[in-house]
Amino acid sequence: MQEAMIKRAKELLADGTVNRVMGWKKGEFAYDITPAVFDTAEELEQDFVCDDLTQANVSKYLIKESRKEGRILAFLKPCDTYSFNQLIKEHRIIRENVYVIGIPGGPKIDVEKIKAKGITGILSVKNEDYTLKIETIYGTETMPFYEAISGKCESCKSKKHVVYDELMGEEGDVLDSNRFDMVEKLENMTAQERYDFWRGELSKCIRCNACRNVCPACTCESCVFDNPASGISQKAAADSFEENMFHIIRAFHVAGRCTDCGECSRVCPQNIPLHLLNRKFIKDINSLYGEYQAGADTTSRAPLTDYKADDCEPSVVHERGAE
Amino acid sequence: MQVNNDFQPVIVAFCCNWCSYAGADLSGTNRLNYPANVKIIRVPCSCRVNPMFILRAFQKGADGVIICGCHPGDCHYTSGNYYTRRRITLLYSMLDFLGIERNRTRLEWVSAAEGAKFAAVMNSFVDEVKKLGPNRRLEDLRCRKQ
Amino acid sequence: MQRIGVFVCHCGTNIAATVDVKAVAEALSHEPGVVISQDYQYMCSESGQDLVKNAIKEHKLTGVVVCSCSPRMHENTFRKAAASVGLNPYLVEIANIREQCSWIHKDIASATDKAVILGKAAVAKVHLNAPLTAGESPVVKRALVIGGGIAGIQTALDIAEAGFDVDIVEKEPTIGGKMAQIDKTFPTLDCAACILTPKMVEAAQNEHITIHSFSEVSDVKGFVGNFTVTIKKKARYVDETKCTGCGLCTEKCPMKKVPNEFNMGLDNRTAVYIPFAQAVPKVATIDPNYCMMLKNGKCGICSKVCSVGAIDYKQTDRFIEQKYGAIVVATGFNPIKPDKYNEFAYSICPDVVTSLELERLMNAAGPNGGTLLRPSDKTHPHTIVFVQCVGSRCDDEKGKPYCSKICCMYTAKHAMLIREKYPDTEVYVFYIDVRTPGKNFDEFYRRAVEQYGVHYIKGMVGKVMPRSDGKIDVQASDLLSNEQLHINADMVVLATAIEPDKTARPLATMLTTQMDTNDFFTEAHPKLRPVESATAGIILSGACQGPKDIPETVAQASAAAAKAIGLLVKNSITCNPCVAHSDELMCNGCSSCEKVCPYGAITYQDKEFRMPDRTTAVRRVASVNPAVCQGCGACTVACPSGAMDLNGFSNSQIMAEVDAICK
Amino acid sequence: MLKIAASRLNELFDAIAEKQTLYIPVDREPNTAEYKKYESGMTMSSALNTVRSAKDFFFPQTENLAEFKVEGKSIEVKDIRQENEDFVVFGVRACDARSFSILDKVFLSEPVDSFYKNRRDHGTIVTMACTKPAETCFCTVFGIDPTVPEGDVSVFSDGENYFFLDRTEKGTEFVKSVENFLEEGDAAKLAQVQEQARSVIKKLPLAGLSTDSFGGDKLNEHFNSEKWAELSEACIGCGTCTFVCPTCQCYDIRDFDTGHGIKRFRCWDSCMYSDFTKMAHGNPRTSQLERFRQRFMHKLVYFPANNDGEFGCVGCGRCLAKCPISMNIVKVMKALEVK
């Protein structure tokens, strides 16, 4: 696929359809892949990469890129197209300036999962018939492919591209995913158990803002948490409350806008399952106000800027099972 | 559950100007008693209540937060309370998800004519929060009174 | 540094009996920024206000906190007082220590503590208050009246009388509305047409009034003083400016089997028609559902006979745009169709009619030329049963929960008219209650019973069954004698509930006005502002606001006109300064705020900005029209970045109050 | 050399913890370690390093500096220092151990940061020699020998035993305080383990990285380099690299209104943030390119310029592993390298 992508990108550069290509660039090892903009065929030949370890969602970069001169080619995985569409809806990306090629999605491999097996000194990772062959400085290691699947791909919601100018590979379907299982598991716990779970997770937060800054829904010119005039700006969580505050407000601000791309949890250096907060909102919205998938289209009214006269009362929360 | 009678919870009530604040006034005019723990903040519409305000109240030492607005369909601004209802439902659900006691938060519709309801709601909410005891799960320790 | 004055009111003993006002004043004097803290017997009195004014001058106050009764009571009083000595009125805050403190608490210690906290919250807020200046927006000196019934006509005439231009938009080909269909009016029994038609003519001839008949409002933009309305002039296939209303086309039209809606479908009209003789404008209209020419291009007779060449088969809907300063809604009512009530056999028996149908049956211009005959066999009815509250005061979904108000009186009128004209006819009225409040109303009803011998029976009609001999068996219960009755009737008249016109709901959405669950427009205040809607500049006239009889409708119509005139005489209106505003540097143009704004006050524009890194960029940013914004604050919460904030209730002000309360 | 059998390590921990607070790295998840206050029964992590560095012990992410008690119009200043307790950090790697001396240059030079100094004075650092470095390791580039870490006490493992080498006065005192748990041991196998580690270190993929192109005198070569645009292009401006970095030492001081007073605290700041060093007129570095450049110029040019050629990086590799977009100091050095 990578070769075909480079070939197609070079064609589109050559015929003037686009003047730049948004993709990913090889790193020092197998896994340290960086989103990058390529201007020439030579650069593409040299550095372009799109393999099992290429996870980053590049939609957010297109906010800026689509405002530059000329048109940019962007390779988007199915999940990335949802983010892209949502950004179109919010008038953040200028659609005409992006040429979208839909590429097949995952499952992608997360190197963290390989490292968690105690494998270190990783030089290269190859998928040989669903067995990963990992070259390390200490020799060759193997592990089953499925044990290294990235968290965001484990509960993939859709293999369908919701927006593209052309497709490479076959189009997939919206999947019946198990993505709410963990949310449900938490819902079925007692309040004390939930409290303990989240305290354990959120207390790890170092407020590096990686989740926020990578999030394609967090596109404010100035975040409330960076703006001293907001009264809640913080540079660090000086108390457990502030850890809660940051993550609750962030989840609330992206509620109805989060496409569940999973980048927040992927980039968290402390492995906090932040996507569960967003998924909780998605699950609530689906069950209380009707199925809604942010980014599935560019016209529908978002659940929090919409209402029905007979919406449920907040007492639905209070009437749930015992605390 | 053990009820600590000495515990005097701090209750913040956000009331919309057109219905609930007037309802609160009416409950005063009719001399209907409710505990002094309840302190009202006047907002133009319940939809002015930002989730940040609710969290801020808990941070700074509130033990319960209640939002009151016009009945659905009666909003002075036509649709404000409908947005409130969605936002607050989701927020309360999230707080519950994080294990924060769900009875510390409430949303009630109180019209300008419902002075008696206002007093009844406040009485029951204060009782509820008293049963729960001080807010510990969503407090900022730095703000705890020495 | 702020210089804040705190003024604690005793309100006689209203506050002072439960709150230690001196302690409150003392406690608040220690708050940061407070330079003077005083208490006084009656702060709202002349001398109390002077105390505040003098303190503002003497201590050069930058903010004032009055601890007193509800701000809903005296906020304006103290704001005016402050303004009179040069302090911006929006630098005054009220701490409500009466309704929300002294009146609800009995224990002095806890009430005093609470009063101090409420005072601290107000001080904390006033620290962040900004001087606000109410903006002004110009008023377009023209009014729109939607609906051309008696309500709309009266409102338009009164507005025109004051010298302002006013347009009437009427969806039917003629103005006149329901009153034009009515035969006689209660309680005077004078002829409806005789008193209505002169008014219709007056409206048509008034130089200030423009009538857009056969037209609808299709879009409303703008705000009080400056509405832009799009009016759809539906194609009537007749050039209004040429048609003289001679009626020749209607005589010659071969399509004569069109149900005549003016006569409630009890007779027929032609495809090209003038609804009734006194129609205004007296212009023909072609019904495209029946016209052979419009349907299949075969006919064209009307065009041939028209001597002025007014027929225009190619006419299409036209849209005109007009600016208005005020809009009066007078969309009126309709009787409900009683076909859901199987027990009354309305759908299966032609001799079961509604009251409005009876009006037409008795009207000289009606299908029978004014002689009351049964619709089925055109014979004279000898026994007539009136059924009250059909669909009114109804618990189930078939009807309406409210009392339709006018039925008791018009039924008395009908009964009386029938007994007067046809003394051999027995008239029975089945009622739940007879409600006749109103000038000369109860006397009128008593005349029906006492003078005209109408049989009023308190009870319910259980079943109406048409019999094979043409008679109608009416089964009913007499609640007073507790007997079951069978009446062998010739006709049954149903006093059906009235409901708002179906066009009202979409109109309310366009106007951003509120409606109740029954689709009646909601007034701004049920007692004190009964003719205005809560949306500034939208005024209510007639039955669109609730069931009304003619005198009440006319009274409200004139009241609505007074409100419209009150607006139009102003050159500009003062806007509420507590409105939202967007910080363009923070706005990311996502449109969340725009979507939740009930007034359409937020628009977006692409603006060029100098970015922090010294480049320029075009960004889409929100801006709020302060004249349209009503200050609800929905947008401020929808905005994730906090770019949107609300004057007078800013994020920081509310959080300062929260902090002060939670201390 | 004094040693303790690996099986008896927890006995030693229990003994230390009895006298003072002890922190050891423990596994939170497989191969994800964090320092925790030792409680009896905890197992020391075998992971190469912790996600967060050990700088927290001397320069915590947030630290209260003072409290102002406010009552009405009166303000009273209260001393709320909390950094006066002795503690031991066990298991610090060579890279982090070197980071302390870098931080010392910042915080212990005049004017001395008394909060930092107090914590330094009260802390004993027990380091642990590396035996199995990762692909992201490049400490040797900065002259660090991970097989012989600095610290008050260095500990070496041969798989069966832990050997103790006291290197400072404080270290000697520490070893003395636990000497009845230690015994003289044969370090022959240790030398073998060390030799093996050194041979791996030589072969590490980043071992060839050179600092020759960098240093205090290289300002003009790099500041205006065209490479910064491309390098910073993907940077999302988060603070992950600075917060996991053992040598990043920027902080902000803020006041928090508690309702009954003000708590003045300092907290880590990141030069990657758009509001870093924001002043009345705005931020002096207005683009992400400038912020990005600042971080790497600081580590590779400005810091050595002010600190006798010492670079502001210890090659721990944390930013390589944690950067959300995998841009890091190694890629920057390679791109800017003058060949």
Side-chain angles (χ1 to χ4, degrees):
Chain A
M1 182 52 74
Q2 180 179 313
E3 287 319 304
M5 286 163 70
I6 294 172
K7 181 167 171 278
R8 185 68 188 125
K10 277 157 62 179
E11 282 167 16
L12 291 167
L13 273 178
D15 70 14
T17 308
V18 299
N19 63 353
R20 288 159 298 143
V21 179
M22 179 89 228
W24 305 266
K25 196 173 176 176
K26 283 181 196 129
E28 293 296 315
F29 320 111
Y31 55 82
D32 58 336
I33 295 160
T34 304
V37 176
F38 301 83
D39 295 302
T40 63
E42 295 70 48
E43 285 173 22
L44 285 165
E45 283 287 353
Q46 205 184 322
D47 289 326
F48 186 92
V49 62
C50 182
D51 59 13
D52 285 342
L53 288 139
T54 313
Q55 293 191 72
N57 175 357
V58 296
S59 311
K60 194 175 180 180
Y61 290 107
L62 298 168
I63 296 172
K64 261 201 173 145
E65 290 300 328
S66 74
R67 282 152 210 273
K68 292 182 181 164
E69 197 147 320
R71 204 162 182 225
I72 187 163
L73 165 62
F75 291 106
L76 300 180
K77 304 189 294 293
C79 47
D80 305 343
T81 61
Y82 286 84
S83 311
F84 181 82
N85 233 15
Q86 182 65 24
L87 287 165
I88 300 276
K89 184 174 184 170
E90 294 174 10
H91 309 275
R92 305 295 281 146
I93 289 176
I94 300 169
R95 177 70 181 91
E96 310 81 89
N97 293 344
V98 187
Y99 188 86
V100 177
I101 296 186
I103 55 166
K108 300 285 186 183
I109 294 166
D110 191 342
V111 76
E112 292 287 323
K113 292 210 170 174
I114 301 175
K115 289 183 178 173
K117 292 273 176 193
I119 299 172
T120 184
I122 301 162
L123 298 172
S124 77
V125 180
K126 282 203 178 65
N127 175 13
E128 286 180 359
D129 204 18
Y130 294 98
T131 298
L132 293 184
K133 212 175 137 200
I134 303 144
E135 296 295 341
T136 79
I137 39 181
Y138 301 104
T140 308
E141 303 264 5
T142 59
M143 72 181 283
F145 176 87
Y146 68 86
E147 285 180 16
I149 292 177
S150 156
K152 62 188 247 175
C153 296
E154 276 178 330
S155 48
C156 176
K157 64 180 178 295
S158 174
K159 298 245 177 235
K160 183 175 177 273
H161 299 80
V162 288
V163 56
Y164 56 82
D165 294 301
E166 69 176 69
L167 266 186
M168 293 181 79
E170 268 172 45
E171 179 65 312
D173 294 314
V174 174
L175 304 179
D176 195 11
S177 82
N178 57 354
R179 60 181 171 142
F180 298 119
D181 288 2
M182 186 59 196
V183 175
E184 222 159 89
K185 197 176 146 196
L186 282 162
E187 286 170 344
N188 290 329
M189 292 179 176
T190 64
Q192 183 66 49
E193 286 167 340
R194 282 197 298 273
Y195 179 73
D196 293 341
F197 172 85
W198 281 112
R199 230 27 339 272
E201 291 298 339
L202 296 180
S203 64
K204 298 190 296 196
C205 176
I206 57 171
R207 269 310 295 281
C208 65
N209 290 320
C211 51
R212 180 191 75 181
N213 290 18
V214 83
C215 175
C218 273
T219 63
C220 287
E221 290 291 327
S222 162
C223 175
V224 282
F225 288 103
D226 289 347
N227 173 17
S230 75
I232 60 161
S233 75
Q234 310 159 353
K235 274 191 175 166
D239 185 273
S240 68
F241 171 84
E242 290 190 328
E243 292 156 1
N244 290 334
M245 172 86 158
F246 176 76
H247 292 289
I248 294 170
I249 294 294
R250 201 184 90 74
F252 190 83
H253 280 179
V254 301
R257 302 167 55 234
C258 164
T259 66
D260 201 4
C261 76
E263 287 284 273
C264 46
S265 295
R266 178 179 77 81
V267 301
C268 178
Q270 294 283 65
N271 298 337
I272 305 172
L274 294 166
H275 65 282
L276 292 177
L277 297 175
N278 302 324
R279 274 194 193 155
K280 169 62 179 166
F281 274 135
I282 296 172
K283 183 170 177 281
D284 277 351
I285 286 167
N286 283 348
S287 65
L288 301 176
Y289 309 123
E291 291 280 324
Y292 181 84
Q293 172 61 51
D297 65 80
T298 57
T299 49
S300 63
R301 248 181 128 91
L304 277 172
T305 58
D306 198 11
Y307 64 86
K308 286 202 189 78
D310 57 353
D311 278 340
C312 65
E313 296 291 330
S315 52
V316 294
V317 177
H318 300 90
E319 284 153 11
R320 283 182 189 145
E323 282 223 68
Chain B
M1 193 184 281
Q2 218 176 3
V3 179
N4 178 1
N5 285 327
D6 298 335
F7 169 53
Q8 288 300 333
V10 175
I11 309 279
V12 177
F14 292 98
C15 292
C16 85
N17 181 47
W18 304 94
C19 287
S20 307
Y21 194 88
D25 278 355
L26 183 63
S27 111
T29 311
N30 293 342
R31 311 297 198 274
L32 300 169
N33 198 265
Y34 58 84
N37 309 62
V38 177
K39 316 281 189 306
I40 295 171
I41 293 178
R42 184 164 70 126
V43 286
C45 175
S46 59
C47 70
R48 178 67 189 92
V49 181
N50 195 312
M52 282 177 350
F53 304 160
I54 298 167
L55 296 182
R56 173 78 156 221
F58 283 121
Q59 175 182 29
K60 294 296 173 96
D63 300 297
V65 175
I66 181 166
I67 298 163
C68 301
C70 307
H71 285 269
D74 290 349
C75 177
H76 177 78
Y77 306 100
T78 323
S79 52
N81 53 2
Y82 288 130
Y83 295 120
T84 309
R85 190 164 56 177
R86 283 200 171 188
R87 290 167 185 165
I88 298 304
T89 301
L90 289 180
L91 177 75
Y92 286 180
S93 179
M94 178 56 78
L95 292 179
D96 180 47
F97 189 60
L98 293 179
I100 315 301
E101 303 92 336
R102 53 176 83 130
N103 291 334
R104 288 196 192 282
T105 50
R106 217 196 261 193
L107 175 70
E108 289 281 351
W109 311 123
V110 181
S111 82
E114 292 174 326
K117 180 176 177 184
F118 188 87
V121 161
M122 292 306 154
N123 277 310
S124 93
F125 188 57
V126 173
D127 279 352
E128 195 94 57
V129 176
K130 274 191 175 171
K131 266 186 229 157
L132 289 172
N135 160 37
R136 288 288 174 255
R137 291 184 184 170
L138 202 56
E139 76 166 336
D140 192 321
L141 277 172
R142 296 170 296 177
C143 302
R144 195 186 277 194
K145 287 168 194 98
Q146 281 94 7
Chain C
M1 186 63 190
Q2 295 272 16
R3 302 178 59 78
I4 294 165
V6 176
F7 303 91
V8 185
C9 180
H10 298 208
C11 197
T13 55
N14 277 303
I15 294 171
T18 338
V19 169
D20 182 345
V21 283
K22 297 226 179 281
V24 172
E26 154 66 17
L28 295 177
S29 72
H30 299 298
E31 283 298 287
V34 174
V35 292
I36 177 172
S37 185
Q38 289 180 305
D39 61 289
Y40 190 70
Q41 205 74 30
Y42 286 103
M43 208 59 85
C44 61
S45 68
E46 198 70 33
S47 45
Q49 289 187 50
D50 284 342
L51 188 81
V52 177
K53 290 186 205 172
N54 291 334
I56 292 173
K57 285 188 281 188
E58 194 182 323
H59 295 277
K60 300 189 175 62
L61 298 183
T62 59
V64 167
V65 168
V66 185
C67 303
S68 60
C69 54
S70 172
R72 297 168 57 83
M73 195 74 120
H74 277 307
E75 187 172 59
N76 255 333
T77 311
F78 293 111
R79 279 183 174 173
K80 275 186 191 157
S84 74
V85 289
L87 183 71
N88 185 290
Y90 294 93
L91 299 174
V92 176
E93 284 292 331
I94 308 289
N96 184 344
I97 62 165
R98 192 179 76 173
E99 282 86 344
Q100 295 179 5
C101 191
S102 71
W103 278 355
I104 40 171
H105 307 312
K106 295 192 180 81
D107 173 49
I108 293 182
S110 64
T112 305
D113 281 351
K114 178 172 171 178
V116 170
I117 291 173
L118 294 177
K120 283 181 177 176
V123 170
K125 186 181 183 193
V126 93
H127 263 286
L128 299 162
N129 278 23
L132 301 176
T133 315
E136 297 213 325
S137 96
V139 176
V140 176
K141 306 258 172 194
R142 191 182 189 94
L144 172 66
V145 176
I146 305 171
I150 180 60
I153 293 170
Q154 185 63 48
T155 302
L157 285 171
D158 288 349
I159 294 173
E161 176 81 12
F164 295 104
D165 288 338
V166 52
D167 295 357
I168 299 175
V169 170
E170 169 57 54
K171 67 179 189 307
E172 301 298 333
T174 173
I175 60 170
K178 290 289 166 301
M179 189 173 168
Q181 290 176 280
I182 296 171
D183 185 35
K184 299 277 193 310
T185 59
F186 60 77
T188 47
L189 295 182
D190 45 357
C191 148
C194 311
I195 54 175
L196 174 67
T197 51
K199 280 199 180 286
M200 290 163 65
V201 173
E202 204 186 323
Q205 288 174 349
N206 193 305
E207 55 172 348
H208 288 298
I209 299 179
T210 309
I211 297 170
H212 297 290
S213 64
F214 211 50
S215 299
E216 282 165 19
V217 170
S218 67
D219 188 38
V220 180
K221 284 204 175 69
F223 48 94
V224 57
N226 198 3
F227 294 103
T228 304
V229 179
T230 309
I231 297 165
K232 175 169 130 185
K233 300 203 74 149
K234 296 181 281 188
R236 69 199 305 168
Y237 307 103
V238 174
D239 187 334
E240 276 177 64
T241 57
K242 290 182 186 161
C243 178
T244 59
C246 70
L248 199 57
C249 55
T250 66
E251 278 167 37
K252 301 291 182 197
C253 178
M255 188 65 213
K256 296 191 192 297
K257 287 272 159 113
V258 185
N260 183 355
E261 48 282 86
F262 186 73
N263 278 337
M264 304 303 287
L266 293 165
D267 65 354
N268 293 325
R269 61 165 169 82
T270 47
V272 56
Y273 67 106
I274 295 172
F276 56 95
Q278 301 93 332
V280 169
K282 198 163 181 196
V283 173
T285 306
I286 299 179
D287 187 338
N289 296 321
Y290 292 94
C291 172
M292 309 290 280
M293 188 65 190
L294 289 171
K295 282 174 83 176
N296 46 35
K298 289 178 189 144
C299 183
I301 292 175
C302 51
S303 174
K304 281 171 207 147
V305 300
C306 182
S307 56
V308 293
I311 305 290
D312 175 7
Y313 298 118
K314 293 210 166 60
Q315 207 177 62
T316 50
D317 293 347
R318 282 191 301 130
F319 291 88
I320 56 172
E321 208 180 85
Q322 181 72 53
K323 284 192 173 288
Y324 299 101
I327 297 177
V328 181
V329 184
T331 45
F333 72 96
N334 278 305
I336 64 165
K337 267 213 162 304
D339 43 11
K340 282 185 197 148
Y341 292 91
N342 292 331
E343 62 266 41
F344 298 132
Y346 175 79
S347 307
I348 54 168
C349 179
D351 296 328
V352 179
V353 298
T354 67
S355 301
L356 193 58
E357 287 164 5
L358 183 70
E359 291 281 353
R360 297 314 301 157
L361 286 172
M362 289 166 66
N363 190 287
N368 301 328
T371 314
L372 179 59
L373 300 172
R374 303 209 312 168
S376 62
D377 55 8
K378 304 280 178 200
T379 59
H380 176 63
H382 292 282
T383 306
I384 301 180
V385 172
F386 285 85
V387 185
Q388 296 304 97
C389 292
V390 176
S392 297
R393 306 170 70 191
C394 187
D395 300 330
D396 60 34
E397 281 172 7
K398 285 191 278 187
K400 307 290 176 186
Y402 49 86
C403 166
S404 293
K405 195 169 185 181
I406 54 176
C407 326
C408 287
M409 286 301 290
Y410 69 57
T411 295
K413 174 188 79 177
H414 290 152
M416 215 186 277
L417 289 170
I418 290 167
R419 290 283 295 161
E420 166 99 19
K421 213 166 172 187
Y422 312 103
D424 61 334
T425 302
E426 288 300 326
V427 175
Y428 298 87
V429 178
F430 285 92
Y431 67 93
I432 306 174
D433 299 291
V434 176
R435 296 180 165 179
T436 55
K439 192 174 170 185
N440 295 328
F441 281 16
D442 202 57
E443 295 91 318
F444 184 78
Y445 153 64
R446 284 212 312 273
R447 253 165 68 207
V449 178
E450 290 159 14
Q451 205 175 321
Y452 289 90
V454 179
H455 306 296
Y456 268 80
I457 301 166
K458 184 175 175 72
M460 305 287 287
V461 171
K463 197 150 185 63
V464 173
M465 292 231 299
R467 298 193 327 201
S468 51
D469 62 357
K471 291 269 191 182
I472 303 167
D473 181 25
V474 178
Q475 300 172 19
S477 52
D478 181 338
L479 290 178
L480 295 181
S481 64
N482 209 7
E483 278 177 71
Q484 288 297 313
L485 301 176
H486 278 271
I487 294 170
N488 219 350
D490 296 309
M491 268 184 87
V492 174
V493 183
L494 306 177
T496 46
I498 60 172
E499 63 180 359
D501 193 82
K502 294 275 180 250
T503 58
R505 175 57 74 174
L507 187 66
T509 309
M510 276 190 262
L511 297 169
T512 69
T513 46
Q514 292 160 255
M515 282 190 144
D516 63 20
T517 49
N518 299 311
D519 281 5
F520 285 113
F521 283 89
T522 306
E523 59 280 8
H525 189 282
K527 291 167 197 70
L528 302 177
R529 293 173 66 194
V531 298
E532 294 151 274
S533 78
T535 306
I538 309 291
I539 302 154
L540 309 174
S541 174
C544 67
Q545 180 257 339
K548 279 182 195 66
D549 59 25
I550 294 168
E552 278 182 326
T553 297
V554 173
Q556 198 190 15
S558 290
K563 287 290 167 193
I565 294 163
L567 200 56
L568 297 180
V569 290
K570 291 180 186 147
N571 289 324
S572 62
I573 29 182
T574 312
C575 310
N576 167 23
C578 293
V579 292
H581 58 90
S582 141
D583 182 338
E584 291 177 338
L585 288 176
M586 287 205 283
C587 174
N588 65 20
C590 72
S591 277
S592 298
C593 56
E594 180 196 19
K595 296 222 168 71
V596 298
C597 178
Y599 306 101
I602 300 169
T603 50
Y604 281 86
Q605 55 203 122
D606 286 330
K607 268 194 166 178
E608 204 174 83
F609 285 91
R610 203 170 143 74
M611 303 302 283
D613 60 356
R614 296 177 285 274
T615 55
T616 47
V618 176
R619 284 178 31 223
R620 181 175 189 271
V621 291
S623 64
V624 181
N625 183 337
V628 186
C629 175
Q630 301 290 312
C632 67
C635 55
T636 60
V637 183
C639 177
S641 67
M644 201 56 94
D645 210 346
L646 188 64
N647 288 341
F649 296 94
S650 69
N651 287 331
S652 54
Q653 284 175 311
I654 295 174
M655 281 198 276
E657 287 180 274
V658 168
D659 288 359
I661 286 173
C662 296
K663 257 183 195 177
Chain D
M1 244 176 149
L2 288 171
K3 68 157 180 122
I4 187 170
S7 56
R8 288 188 58 210
L9 192 60
N10 271 50
E11 288 173 38
L12 176 69
F13 287 161
D14 287 334
I16 302 168
E18 218 164 84
K19 286 187 220 127
Q20 48 190 323
T21 311
L22 168 68
Y23 297 94
I24 63 164
V26 293
D27 281 336
R28 187 170 66 213
E29 291 149 38
N31 250 40
T32 304
E34 63 187 347
Y35 285 103
K36 278 218 152 149
K37 189 170 165 180
Y38 178 79
E39 279 165 35
S40 199
M42 275 182 176
T43 315
M44 188 165 73
S45 168
S46 59
L48 177 62
N49 219 337
T50 50
V51 176
R52 293 172 72 160
S53 81
K55 76 174 171 190
D56 295 43
F57 293 110
F58 307 109
F59 175 45
Q61 183 159 18
T62 65
E63 178 171 31
N64 288 321
L65 303 180
E67 188 173 321
F68 310 99
K69 205 170 155 47
V70 181
E71 247 185 84
K73 289 164 187 162
S74 78
I75 299 175
E76 177 198 339
V77 183
K78 284 171 82 179
D79 188 2
I80 47 163
R81 279 177 175 272
Q82 285 173 333
E83 70 287 357
N84 296 315
E85 189 192 293
D86 285 342
F87 64 95
V88 177
V89 192
F90 197 100
V92 176
R93 295 292 182 183
C95 44
D96 284 7
R98 170 66 64 83
S99 78
F100 303 141
S101 58
I102 292 175
L103 294 176
D104 286 349
K105 289 188 193 305
V106 177
F107 290 113
L108 298 185
S109 58
E110 285 301 327
V112 172
D113 184 303
S114 60
F115 289 85
Y116 178 85
K117 184 171 186 301
N118 278 353
R119 291 187 197 274
R120 281 292 267 146
D121 290 347
H122 287 283
T124 305
I125 299 156
V126 182
T127 56
M128 181 74 71
C130 298
T131 53
K132 200 180 179 190
E135 73 280 12
T136 50
C137 290
F138 58 107
C139 59
T140 52
V141 172
F142 299 101
I144 297 166
D145 181 355
T147 61
V148 190
E150 297 160 5
D152 295 314
V153 180
S154 306
V155 177
F156 310 87
S157 166
D158 67 358
E160 287 155 15
N161 297 295
Y162 290 100
F163 295 87
F164 286 71
L165 174 65
D166 49 327
R167 306 179 64 138
T168 63
E169 216 173 288
K170 212 193 268 174
T172 310
E173 212 170 293
F174 171 79
V175 172
K176 205 182 261 174
S177 74
V178 294
E179 69 189 343
N180 43 353
F181 287 88
L182 307 176
E183 52 189 340
E184 257 327 302
D186 174 13
K189 198 181 167 201
L190 180 63
Q192 203 186 324
V193 170
Q194 274 176 327
E195 202 40 54
Q196 205 181 338
R198 287 198 185 104
S199 73
V200 172
I201 288 162
K202 268 186 217 137
K203 288 189 297 182
L204 283 175
L206 303 178
L209 200 64
S210 160
T211 56
D212 293 351
S213 307
F214 306 98
D217 55 345
K218 302 289 197 300
L219 176 76
N220 291 330
E221 285 94 319
H222 299 308
F223 191 84
N224 291 318
S225 168
E226 284 171 10
K227 301 265 176 57
W228 292 115
E230 197 191 328
L231 288 167
S232 65
E233 190 171 53
C235 177
I236 59 173
C238 74
T240 308
C241 52
T242 49
F243 286 2
V244 297
C245 179
T247 68
C248 274
Q249 74 290 110
C250 292
Y251 60 83
D252 192 11
I253 295 179
R254 298 201 151 200
D255 285 350
F256 174 77
D257 181 358
T258 62
H260 33 80
I262 302 291
K263 275 204 158 76
R264 175 160 295 173
F265 67 103
R266 73 165 158 205
C267 60
W268 294 353
D269 204 345
S270 170
C271 52
M272 292 294 192
Y273 288 168
S274 57
D275 53 348
F276 178 71
T277 61
K278 195 170 185 178
M279 292 169 255
H281 79 290
N283 190 331
R285 284 176 285 276
T286 55
S287 67
Q288 200 55 34
L289 183 152
E290 291 164 288
R291 293 172 209 134
F292 182 92
R293 179 175 61 193
Q294 167 67 19
R295 179 160 193 272
F296 297 104
M297 287 294 281
H298 186 216
K299 295 215 177 296
L300 299 169
V301 179
Y302 310 149
F303 199 83
N306 297 323
N307 295 282
D308 315 318
E310 174 114 59
F311 289 99
C313 176
V314 293
C316 70
R318 285 187 177 89
C319 55
L320 277 67
K322 291 298 176 187
C323 174
I325 54 115
S326 299
M327 177 48 67
N328 50 56
I329 193 162
V330 170
K331 291 184 180 180
V332 170
M333 285 170 75
K334 287 196 169 182
L336 297 178
E337 201 170 16
V338 184
K339 280 172 188 144

